[in-house]
Amino acid sequence: MQRAERRITTIAGAGLIALLLAGCGDADPADGHRDDKPKTDRAASAGTPLPLDTAARQAKYTDSDERAVDLKVAPTSVKRGTTADVAHVHLDDDVKGMVPHYLTVSVTNTGTDTVDAGAAADQFALVLADGTRGRTMSFYNSNPLASPGTGPLETCNGTKAPVKLPPGQTATGCQVVMLPKGAKPSAVSYSDDAGTRTWKVKGGDDADSGLLPVGKPAKTTWRDVHDKDFPLTVTPKNVRKVGPEALAGYDLHDDQKKADFYFVTYEYRNDGTTKLYPDMDEAVVLRTEAGRTVEKMTLLSMGSSGPKGCESAVPYGMVPAGKTVRQCGVYLLGKGDKPLTATFTPSAKGARTLTWKTS
């Protein structure tokens, strides 16, 4: 029996990050220092509302007691803040200069029992047009004596869904999500046991000028296993969804069988002057509506060039100068999630990542 392994990861920094919220108001005089100018009255924007689909969707959430919970979930608003909102916050270097966005969501218990649904609000994400997920932030105050501020950051940070949710009741939660300066969110996503749901943010899809059209060839540089640089032309040929029967003969786990399978085919032309070993398919990942970055499955088999319909030409041979090789990979997405972009990250130093729309 042939084996299959899977790797599905989110992009670096997509998880919850604890940051230090600089103290406001008077410090404890016992430490020899006192701040006579409270900062709670600082000016702050109210946030700019972004047009958003807010229709409630049915969800199936597993709570901390391993019970399947019926919920209705929806984003209720997305507001764009300003960098001034976080001017008093100690930020890590990789989020400095980003712009805070305030995502408010609702979770309704449609079942008959009180459930532990507090974490359901954390299943939401704010996603860009290329599938990049926003950086969800968590804040804590270093000065327990400080009065909370009244700006949108403090208001959002203080709006947390209660842990216990009685039948028929609705809870509201808010996330502070950091996006790169100038970036526009394209969608809000929610993922749970029943799959992925998305809500469009109007105007977000207009911010994809850096994406390559479907199937457009692009030139780059590839560094091979011997640390030699090769000029390379990369062309995505297709991204297509297939059924689990396409992997007949491979030993899949139960959770893998429930997911959605995609075949992703790329073509590479060796524009160099010597033979090239074709390991370029390892540099291809999908980015999805849920803001997930999905790597190629590792399929273990003997004497096979891949599943039927996803064979790789010359998978173990060398690619002569001026010739092309076509390679196909299998990608496993959460149920209901869909690919937005396919990216190729060259191994050569200084070569930029290439990103194509998938449709």
Side-chain angles (χ1 to χ4, degrees):
M1 180 69 71
Q2 302 172 87
R3 299 285 300 176
E5 296 180 359
R6 173 185 61 129
R7 290 183 295 173
I8 297 182
T9 62
T10 56
I11 63 172
L16 196 66
I17 302 173
L19 297 181
L20 178 65
L21 183 60
C24 299
D26 291 350
D28 187 345
D31 66 5
H33 298 280
R34 187 178 182 87
D35 184 356
D36 294 323
K37 296 181 180 180
K39 300 175 183 176
T40 54
D41 294 330
R42 62 185 175 79
S45 70
T48 302
L50 305 179
L52 170 71
D53 172 18
T54 58
R57 312 277 172 81
Q58 198 65 41
K60 181 73 72 173
Y61 176 73
T62 300
D63 70 3
S64 59
D65 296 324
E66 298 299 320
R67 293 183 301 172
V69 177
D70 289 321
L71 303 173
K72 275 195 174 180
V73 298
T76 58
S77 71
V78 176
K79 295 182 179 180
R80 180 187 295 115
T82 71
T83 53
D85 297 345
V86 291
H88 64 307
V89 177
H90 174 71
L91 295 173
D92 290 342
D93 289 342
D94 57 350
V95 292
K96 285 181 179 178
M98 287 189 174
V99 178
H101 288 66
Y102 308 107
L103 171 61
T104 304
V105 303
S106 70
V107 177
T108 301
N109 180 359
T110 58
T112 57
D113 298 317
T114 296
V115 297
D116 182 0
D122 297 332
Q123 303 301 109
F124 285 89
L126 203 54
V127 184
L128 302 183
D130 68 351
T132 300
R133 188 174 183 143
R135 300 283 298 271
T136 304
M137 313 297 286
S138 178
F139 300 86
Y140 67 92
N141 196 337
S142 62
N143 181 2
L145 301 180
S147 300
T150 58
L153 184 144
E154 290 88 354
T155 300
C156 182
N157 192 57
T159 305
K160 302 298 180 187
V163 173
K164 295 299 182 180
L165 190 60
Q169 296 296 304
T170 298
T172 298
C174 186
Q175 297 179 10
V176 182
V177 185
M178 304 294 281
L179 296 179
K181 187 175 182 180
K184 296 181 180 180
S186 172
V188 176
S189 73
Y190 176 89
S191 298
D192 63 12
D193 299 338
T196 298
R197 291 151 191 79
T198 59
W199 295 260
K200 285 294 184 181
V201 179
K202 187 176 180 180
D205 288 337
D206 299 336
D208 61 1
S209 58
L211 304 181
L212 294 167
V214 178
K216 182 179 177 62
K219 293 186 177 298
T220 186
T221 304
W222 180 256
R223 178 163 292 183
D224 73 354
V225 292
H226 301 295
D227 290 332
K228 180 180 178 180
D229 287 348
F230 283 78
L232 191 71
T233 298
V234 182
T235 307
K237 303 304 290 185
N238 59 69
V239 176
R240 58 192 180 95
K241 185 178 180 180
V242 297
E245 66 279 359
L247 272 76
Y250 288 88
D251 187 11
L252 302 176
H253 303 301
D254 289 341
D255 61 335
Q256 292 176 325
K257 294 176 182 178
K258 296 176 183 177
D260 290 336
F261 295 90
Y262 283 82
F263 286 171
V264 179
T265 303
Y266 268 67
E267 190 173 83
Y268 308 95
R269 187 179 69 216
N270 177 5
D271 295 327
T273 58
T274 58
K275 292 182 179 180
L276 168 66
Y277 179 75
D279 59 348
M280 290 79 71
D281 57 336
E282 297 295 333
V284 176
V285 301
L286 293 182
R287 289 179 180 163
T288 76
E289 286 186 341
R292 300 192 180 280
T293 298
V294 184
E295 299 178 356
K296 186 187 71 167
M297 290 182 69
T298 300
L299 297 174
L300 304 180
S301 60
M302 297 297 293
S304 171
S305 59
K308 185 176 181 180
C310 191
E311 298 90 353
S312 293
V314 200
Y316 306 112
M318 302 293 284
V319 184
K323 299 297 183 180
T324 63
V325 61
R326 181 171 293 198
Q327 295 180 311
C328 179
V330 180
Y331 293 75
L332 189 58
L333 276 63
K335 198 69 177 177
D337 201 0
K338 296 177 182 178
L340 287 178
T341 60
T343 71
F344 178 82
T345 303
S347 55
K349 186 176 180 179
R352 69 181 181 90
T353 296
L354 303 170
T355 304
W356 289 264
K357 298 178 182 180
T358 56
S359 61

